[in-house]
Amino acid sequence: MKYFLLLLLIFHQSARGQSSIEQYISETAIPVLSIQPDTSYDTDLDAVAAKLGDARILLLGEQDHGDAASFLAKTRLIRYLHEKKGFNVVVFESDFFGLNEGWDQSAKTPEAIYAFMRKNITRVWSYCDGFSYFEQQLVPGSFQTKAPLQLSGIDNQLALSYSAKNLRPLLDSILRLRKLPLTNEPAYTTVLLPVVDSLTAKLFYKKSASFYGTAEQYLARLQQELISAGYQDDFWTMVVENLLHLSSQFRLMPDNPEAARNERDQQMARNLQWLCRVKYANEKIIVWAQNFHISRNAGQYASRELNKVISMGTYFTKDSLLSRQTYVMGITSANGQTGWAGTAPHTVEAPPKNSFENKIPVDYPNAFVDFTGWNAAHPDSKSNFNMNGSVFYL
């Protein structure tokens, strides 16, 4: 990608002077001089960080999973926020079990960190050159400091390397140790454990709706037994909840893909809420995900198709306290080539004339725009505009 642009969707401050969204963008855009993670200066990011204020949670998006320039930009911003602002946890739109239990148990040598990330962060990132500084230098290097970067995940698709090998046996041992009633029934071995194997192996297209219906009955019972035994906010209760909603997601996918996506986004939101309230209650957190997943206020898009899916960011910010602690930042690239890791690249279509990218001053190589002021000055505005690849609603 040739350059990137930042889009922020939050609410405070004032912008009474600008009469149009085009004028607001062109007059408030802040130039960002580089997206390279190893840039030696940081003063251009000071203005970006100032807009975050006292936010504890940053939802950090990307327009496309093949946009390596966005990965570079995110890595540079994460390095800055880690070193200057105390953000110590990076949460990926990736395997909840592997990036929590697996990360906690893994060795923290540079070689082990790199090997773990390659296998347990989704390949669109971990196998991309634009991610190499993050996994080979930023995270390993942080373990030579007093405040190492911790990794986590929120995706309920639990099928990457650590989960595929370890989720079933570890979950089985925990449930038996806790002497849950279900573990004493024959169906625990003949039905429930094979269900877990199936879900962690991504065999969902080979199973019937009745298979997943039965799976949900047993997983829901297992979740209730854990809660009744006093494990309300326990990690393993969250693992069972993830399996329950993953099963529901797979059951719905063939006939109702929008509902299936809602299952996933809602569970990602629940996972992030758990991380913010329980595991990392006292930490500052950055979430690495795709733009639509992090967007809030879903249901108001000009596109009817988008309104059928309620984003993770919308679910997550229904919690008023967490909403006040959260800053949402989307990233988009204007031109160049894109392609998911392992696929052939293709040229990005030119942004539409009325797109966000074409409202940025042409002499800015990269830019940051904070919509705080616009939203405060136009609380009833129905303005929307194209970003290269999708539509964002203000």
Side-chain angles (χ1 to χ4, degrees), residues 152-335:
S152 187
I154 54 171
D155 200 338
N156 70 325
Q157 297 181 116
L158 313 178
L160 296 181
S161 178
Y162 188 87
S163 290
K165 294 176 182 177
N166 297 288
L167 194 158
R168 195 256 210 185
L170 289 176
L171 178 62
D172 180 31
S173 65
I174 291 292
L175 298 177
R176 291 183 188 275
L177 182 65
R178 293 178 178 178
K179 297 180 169 45
L180 298 182
L182 184 55
T183 62
N184 295 318
E185 297 183 13
Y188 176 76
T189 302
T190 60
V191 178
L192 185 60
L193 292 181
V195 160
V196 175
D197 284 333
S198 175
L199 293 173
T200 56
K202 279 194 172 180
L203 299 178
F204 49 96
Y205 290 120
K206 298 180 181 179
K207 303 297 181 180
S208 65
S210 62
F211 172 89
Y212 290 113
T214 300
E216 289 163 50
Q217 291 179 16
Y218 280 101
L219 288 166
R221 178 180 164 187
L222 189 60
Q223 180 186 31
Q224 188 55 53
E225 288 185 3
L226 282 164
I227 293 171
S228 298
Y231 299 104
Q232 176 72 45
D233 291 324
D234 182 72
F235 171 70
W236 295 98
T237 304
M238 290 299 299
V239 170
V240 172
E241 181 178 308
N242 274 265
L243 291 169
L244 172 60
H245 287 276
L246 182 60
S247 179
S248 180
Q249 178 183 331
F250 292 164
R251 176 176 54 80
L252 291 166
M253 184 64 73
D255 300 318
N256 194 343
E258 290 82 12
R261 294 187 187 103
N262 284 340
E263 285 284 328
R264 180 180 176 224
D265 270 65
Q266 184 171 7
Q267 189 58 46
M268 287 199 294
R270 285 272 298 118
N271 291 338
L272 182 56
Q273 289 169 345
W274 180 83
L275 290 172
C276 293
R277 293 171 181 157
V278 180
K279 185 173 183 179
Y280 294 116
N282 299 314
E283 299 292 341
K284 300 177 80 171
I285 297 168
I286 299 171
V287 178
W288 182 308
Q290 194 270 345
N291 278 350
F292 181 81
H293 290 307
I294 67 163
S295 65
R296 59 168 58 172
N297 299 327
Q300 304 179 70
Y301 294 103
S303 167
R304 291 183 179 180
E305 290 303 312
L306 287 176
N307 287 328
K308 294 179 181 178
V309 183
I310 306 302
S311 65
M312 181 270 291
T314 298
Y315 282 116
F316 177 72
T317 54
K318 286 181 179 179
D319 182 297
S320 58
L321 175 60
L322 293 177
S323 180
R324 291 192 296 271
Q325 297 175 343
T326 299
Y327 197 95
V328 182
M329 182 185 298
I331 300 182
T332 177
S333 294
N335 53 46

Side-chain angles (χ1 to χ4, degrees), residues 19-20 53 91 100 111 115 118 192 217 251 267 278 281 335 342 355:
S19 59
S20 69
V91 178
N100 282 286
E111 297 79 12
R118 289 278 286 184
L192 185 60
Q217 291 179 16
R251 176 176 54 80
Q267 189 58 46
V278 180
N335 53 46
S355 70

Side-chain angles (χ1 to χ4, degrees), residues 36-39 72 75-76 78-79 82-83 103 108-115 117-118 126 128-145 147-149 151:
Q36 295 303 317
D38 59 354
T39 299
L72 294 172
T75 301
R76 184 184 177 214
I78 290 169
R79 179 180 66 81
H82 174 60
E83 294 175 355
W103 172 253
K108 297 302 186 292
T109 64
E111 297 79 12
I113 290 171
Y114 174 63
M117 283 196 281
R118 289 278 286 184
S126 65
C128 179
D129 289 345
F131 193 73
S132 61
Y133 186 94
F134 183 93
E135 63 185 349
Q136 295 183 40
Q137 298 185 58
L138 180 58
V139 177
S142 75
F143 277 83
Q144 306 304 313
T145 72
L149 272 170
L151 302 184

